[in-house]
Amino acid sequence: MFKYSFTDPVDGESYDVMWDYLGGFVRISPFFKCRKHKKTGPSKMLSMNPGLRDVTFHMTGGNRTAQGT
């Protein structure tokens, strides 16, 4: 698993994006967070796109940094 960090040029905050290169999973929660969407943003996006939820993994529990969609 790789972790990439990026800094939002607008507010200067740093965000971590994790990528599981074996499974192909990318944690997308930081992208929603950096654009100031609420925590429900990823779930709402999945509901608006039929079939996308079927290929999406959501992690709850465990390492707090890894939690999210």
Side-chain angles (χ1 to χ4, degrees), residues 1-24:
M1 184 162 301
F2 290 106
K3 178 183 93 170
Y4 297 96
S5 296
F6 70 93
T7 302
D8 186 339
V10 176
D11 62 14
E13 286 193 49
S14 180
Y15 298 91
D16 295 328
V17 178
M18 295 189 330
W19 171 47
D20 176 0
Y21 60 92
L22 293 176

Side-chain angles (χ1 to χ4, degrees), residues 14-35:
S14 180
Y15 298 91
D16 295 328
V17 178
M18 295 189 330
W19 171 47
D20 176 0
Y21 60 92
L22 293 176
F25 296 106
V26 176
R27 184 171 174 258
I28 61 168
S29 298
F31 298 114
F32 282 86
K33 187 174 180 181
C34 80
R35 301 302 353 134

Side-chain angles (χ1 to χ4, degrees), residues 51-62:
L52 192 55
R53 191 177 294 276
D54 298 334
V55 296
T56 303
F57 178 75
H58 183 80
M59 179 183 284
T60 57

